[in-house]
């Protein structure tokens, strides 16, 4: 029997993709996959802005230095020439595009993947509004793209998290888009900050609030633009491609794991049995491309995909951390600052007490020591930021949602064998132990820049830290015992 021809690869033949968010975690994996697997793609336009004093041109030069492009560079380096820079910034009206670039995009684009977003949970409402406006403006542009086949909007599985049961449907947004723009335009920055909690009501943060409104913008355009929405849950390191364990940021769960492994993060408010729908970034990317193919080759309705993994094999926070712990020894980094002593705490008050004693107090001790040595302080400020981040994450780690994912399953079942092989995203048989190990090794290599030859040094360091940790604990208990004995002796 002849093997199937990949329908997804066929779809991307001679296509020109306009990708926003190409410099991001998911964006890089999307570019790599498109170039490696869809060799006959015409072009990928990538939107880049100036950041940290680097021009889009400089950033474009550096984009392919990431390890996720190593495989591609060794097999088909020429394909990188198909990636072209488009200067722009989603914080500007019409994404800050020049007239010339608008013309090019209108003329050539056949597929838009809109993955750019400020993903900080603590961004201001004004910043979140930029995410919404960029989505609206890009959809306006898409309406004028003569050759457009599909517009994929990358949302989040939590975009409607005020509901316990999340269907693959559009929901009523927390606020109508025009009302959001009016409020943000009418108020000065400080007043806007002051009224944000009232506007958010039961929404956990401005990022999610904005994503929900953006989905409404997409919904409004869906009559005219061939849109589809992919809503990934918590995106984590690659599981398979281009290499297992690749990651480029400390944000989210891998950041917590890395922080815990380095002995920096010691407590998180989470429910032991709450589900942690972790989804590898390469599977998310494959799902995005499959969704693009499906929408681009069908005539009809807008489909939303809750890409949340396999609900039958999904890990709980407790189980995930248990899987991770052995790797703290086997993949220990020589950069670790203290022994791993992380735990999940269900009770918020108890967790806050632990935050105080395990994060805040040690931070003051460290800064005191730094002051004594005439060095600039860093710990208190860093822990303040870290504690805030952990607090924002706790909304998601203390709750479980029921996600429908029939459309994702349908998409998977609709793919032929060749597409299932090349654009694999089924999470039914994930080996979580193996994946956790690859993620820890990947975080070690790509985030901490610890090469594998430093593992013996890491093992030595963790043994020293283990002894130090338990010596300090024994000393603290001894001091407490002496203190209590002194108090009791005073009274009796
Ligand atoms: N990571 C997750 O767990 C997760 C979960 C669900 C959904 N998502 C969604 O997936 C998409 C990609 O996220 P990610 O994980 O790849 O995040 P990321 O690594 O932070 O990437 C975000 C991308 O958006 C770009 N961007 C942000 N603000 C921009 C602006 N003003 N102008 C132009 N580009 C801008 C960033 O460009 P710069 O390099 O210039 O900053 C970057 O390329 C986002 O839409 C996010 O909401 C992510």
């Amino acid at each position: 029997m002849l093997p199937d021809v990949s329908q997804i690869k066929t779809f991307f033949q001679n296509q020109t993709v306009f990708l926003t968010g190409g410099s991001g975690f998911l964006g890089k994996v999307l570019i790599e996959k498109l170039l490696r697997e869809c060799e006959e793609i015409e072009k990928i336009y990538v939107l880049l802005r100036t950041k940290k004093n680097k021009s889009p041109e400089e950033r474009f030069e550096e984009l392919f230095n990431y390890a996720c492009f190593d495989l591609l560079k060794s097999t088909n380096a020429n394909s990188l020439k198909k990636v072209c820079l488009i200067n722009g910034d989603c914080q500007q009206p019409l994404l800050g595009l020049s007239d010339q670039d608008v013309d090019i995009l209108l003329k050539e684009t056949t597929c838009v993947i809109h993955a750019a977003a400020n993903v900080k949970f603590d961004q201001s409402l004004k910043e979140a509004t930029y995410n919404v406006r960029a989505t609206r403006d890009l959809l306006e542009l898409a309406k004028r793209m003569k050759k457009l086949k599909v517009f994929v909007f990358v949302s989040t599985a939590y975009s409607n998290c005020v509901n316990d049961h999340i269907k693959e449907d559009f929901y009523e947004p927390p606020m109508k888009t025009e009302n959001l723009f009016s409020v943000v335009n009418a108020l000065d920055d400080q007043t806007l900050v002051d009224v944000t909690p009232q506007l958010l009501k039961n929404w956990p943060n401005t990022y999610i609030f904005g994503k929900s409104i953006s989905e409404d913008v997409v919904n409004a355009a869906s009559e005219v633009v061939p849109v589809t929405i992919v809503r990934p849950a918590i995106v984590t390191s690659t599981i398979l491609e281009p290499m297992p364990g690749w990651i480029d940021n400390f944000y989210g769960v891998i950041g917590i794991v890395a922080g815990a492994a380095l002995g920096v993060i010691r407590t998180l408010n989470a429910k032991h049995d709450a589900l942690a729908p972790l989804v590898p970034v390469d599977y998310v990317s494959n799902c995005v491309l499959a969704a693009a193919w499906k929408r681009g080759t069908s005539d009809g309705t807008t489909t939303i995909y809750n890409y949340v993994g396999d609900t039958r094999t999904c890990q709980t926070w407790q189980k995930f951390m248990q899987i991770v712990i052995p790797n703290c020894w086997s993949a220990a980094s020589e950069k670790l600052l203290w022994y791993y002593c992380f735990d999940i705490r269900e009770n918020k008050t108890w967790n806050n007490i632990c935050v105080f004693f395990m994060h805040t107090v040690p931070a003051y001790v460290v800064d005191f020591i730094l002051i004594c040595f005439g060095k600039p302080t860093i710990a208190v400020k860093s822990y303040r930021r870290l504690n805030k981040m952990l607090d924002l994450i706790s909304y998601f780690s203390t709750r479980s949602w029921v996600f429908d994912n029939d459309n994702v399953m349908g998409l998977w079942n609709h793919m032929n064998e060749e597409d299932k092989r090349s654009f694999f995203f089924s999470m039914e048989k994930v080996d979580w132990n193996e994946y956790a190990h690859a993620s820890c090794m990947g975080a070690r290599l790509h985030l901490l820049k610890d090469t594998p030859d430093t593992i013996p040094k890491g093992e030595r360091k963790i043994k020293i830290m283990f002894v130090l940790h338990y010596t300090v604990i024994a000393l603290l208990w001894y001091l407490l015992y002496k203190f209590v004995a002194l108090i009791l002796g005073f009274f009796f």
Side-chain angles (χ1 to χ4, degrees):
M1 208 169 81
L2 283 173
D4 288 327
V5 173
S6 164
Q7 301 176 86
I8 299 178
K9 288 185 202 178
T10 308
F11 170 71
F12 279 105
Q13 269 173 8
N14 305 319
Q15 301 307 305
T16 296
V17 175
F18 177 39
L19 172 67
T20 70
S23 55
F25 181 34
L26 173 62
K28 292 189 197 92
V29 176
L30 276 165
I31 296 174
E32 197 276 342
K33 182 73 178 185
L34 276 171
L35 294 178
R36 187 162 46 81
E37 212 68 66
C38 306
E39 287 173 3
E40 291 178 57
I41 193 165
E42 179 70 26
K43 220 177 264 179
I44 306 175
Y45 284 115
V46 176
L47 183 87
L48 286 181
R49 59 172 164 167
T50 300
K51 192 175 172 183
K52 292 184 183 155
N53 288 329
K54 282 192 182 161
S55 68
E57 288 76 13
E58 285 171 295
R59 297 187 66 207
F60 187 69
E61 282 292 307
E62 291 170 7
L63 183 59
F64 305 111
N65 293 344
Y66 286 86
C68 68
F69 291 105
D70 287 354
L71 175 65
L72 182 69
K73 282 196 273 191
S74 68
T75 52
N76 186 7
N78 263 341
S79 64
L80 295 176
K81 291 184 189 143
K82 293 187 177 184
V83 187
C84 306
L85 168 69
I86 294 278
N87 277 272
D89 186 336
C90 295
Q91 293 202 0
Q92 304 298 326
L94 204 66
L95 292 85
L97 296 169
S98 69
D99 291 345
Q100 197 188 355
D101 284 341
V102 167
D103 285 345
I104 292 173
L105 292 173
L106 289 182
K107 212 159 73 193
E108 297 182 27
T109 308
T110 59
C111 172
V112 176
I113 302 178
H114 181 37
N118 179 338
V119 297
K120 290 192 183 125
F121 284 2
D122 59 348
Q123 62 192 275
S124 67
L125 189 59
K126 195 170 186 172
E127 288 172 302
T129 306
Y130 293 141
N131 281 346
V132 179
R133 189 180 63 185
T135 306
R136 184 203 60 183
D137 290 357
L138 189 50
L139 281 159
E140 286 305 314
L141 204 64
K143 287 178 187 168
R144 295 158 56 206
M145 292 175 177
K146 294 279 181 307
K147 297 199 275 182
L148 189 73
K149 291 184 175 176
V150 60
F151 183 113
V152 188
F153 176 60
V154 182
S155 185
T156 157
Y158 297 104
S159 54
N160 298 288
C161 63
V162 291
N163 303 284
D164 297 333
H165 179 177
I166 299 177
K167 300 179 181 172
E168 290 171 304
D169 273 336
F170 285 109
Y171 282 80
E172 196 54 37
M175 208 173 176
K176 280 287 168 199
T177 320
E178 293 315 321
N179 293 348
L180 174 69
F181 292 157
S182 310
V183 170
V184 171
N185 288 334
L187 302 178
D188 63 74
D189 288 357
Q190 189 50 50
T191 315
L192 190 59
V193 169
D194 294 341
V195 300
T196 297
Q198 281 111 285
L199 295 172
L200 289 190
K201 291 185 194 128
N202 54 339
W203 291 78
N205 59 56
T206 44
Y207 161 70
I208 299 283
F209 186 82
K211 276 284 184 191
S212 179
I213 300 174
S214 294
E215 283 197 3
D216 194 48
V217 174
V218 175
N219 190 13
S222 63
E223 296 277 301
V224 198
V225 182
V227 292
T228 189
I229 296 182
V230 178
R231 292 180 183 150
I234 304 168
V235 185
T236 45
S237 342
T238 54
I239 188 166
L240 274 180
E241 293 182 291
M243 63 188 53
W246 181 77
I247 185 149
D248 73 345
N249 68 83
F250 279 100
Y251 230 71
V253 171
I254 298 295
I256 295 178
V257 170
L262 290 173
V264 175
I265 300 178
R266 293 158 197 146
T267 186
L268 172 72
N269 182 209
K271 291 269 184 269
H272 290 145
D273 57 0
L275 295 177
L278 310 176
V279 286
V281 64
D282 44 337
Y283 284 7
V284 176
S285 157
N286 288 346
C287 183
V288 166
L289 299 179
W293 152 72
K294 186 75 186 7
R295 183 66 182 92
T297 50
S298 67
D299 47 0
T301 50
T302 303
T303 309
I304 297 174
Y305 300 95
N306 286 346
Y307 188 68
V308 293
D310 194 301
T311 43
R312 293 160 298 182
T313 57
C314 187
Q315 298 295 296
T316 61
W317 286 95
Q318 169 84 336
K319 260 169 85 185
F320 178 69
M321 290 318 291
Q322 279 169 354
I323 288 170
V324 164
I325 291 171
N327 294 287
C328 294
W329 277 89
S330 63
S333 164
E334 58 175 335
K335 296 196 179 79
L336 70 93
L337 298 170
W338 198 253
Y339 178 65
Y340 172 96
C341 50
F342 175 87
D343 212 349
I344 279 173
R345 291 178 173 87
E346 294 212 345
N347 183 287
K348 196 170 176 65
T349 311
W350 174 228
N351 185 65
N352 286 343
I353 292 170
C354 291
V355 164
F356 179 73
F357 284 107
M358 300 171 98
H359 288 178
T360 309
V361 172
Y364 275 99
V365 173
V366 170
D367 275 359
F368 176 71
I369 295 169
L370 288 173
I371 289 170
C372 293
F373 282 95
K375 298 252 161 59
T377 57
I378 179 171
V380 171
K381 204 171 144 202
S382 305
Y383 266 106
R384 209 168 278 152
R385 270 211 315 267
L386 183 71
N387 291 339
K388 192 176 170 197
M389 193 262 284
L390 294 174
D391 195 41
L392 287 165
I393 286 178
S394 71
Y395 176 90
F396 303 94
S397 55
T398 52
R399 290 170 173 77
S400 282
W401 284 264
V402 175
F403 292 103
D404 285 357
N405 66 348
D406 296 344
N407 289 344
V408 173
M409 302 304 266
L411 178 65
W412 175 250
N413 291 330
H414 193 74
M415 287 160 59
N416 69 27
E417 287 311 309
E418 175 53 25
D419 279 331
K420 283 184 179 169
R421 198 186 57 74
S422 301
F423 298 88
F424 192 85
F425 63 77
S426 164
M427 289 193 62
E428 192 187 342
K429 292 184 182 144
V430 168
D431 181 333
W432 285 97
N433 286 302
E434 209 175 287
Y435 180 47
H437 179 67
S439 299
C440 290
M441 292 304 281
R444 196 180 184 283
L445 179 64
H446 303 294
L447 298 181
L448 304 176
K449 309 292 176 207
D450 280 344
T451 49
D453 58 298
T454 61
I455 286 181
K457 284 186 191 162
E459 283 172 352
R460 217 170 308 135
K461 181 95 180 257
I462 197 167
K463 280 179 195 156
I464 295 169
M465 286 301 176
F466 175 80
V467 174
L468 201 62
H469 173 72
Y470 283 103
T471 307
V472 170
I473 299 266
L475 197 69
L476 287 176
W477 277 112
Y478 176 73
L479 289 176
L480 187 69
Y481 161 75
K482 281 291 191 191
F483 178 72
V484 173
L486 190 78
I487 299 287
L488 291 178
F490 189 73
F491 285 107
F492 304 105

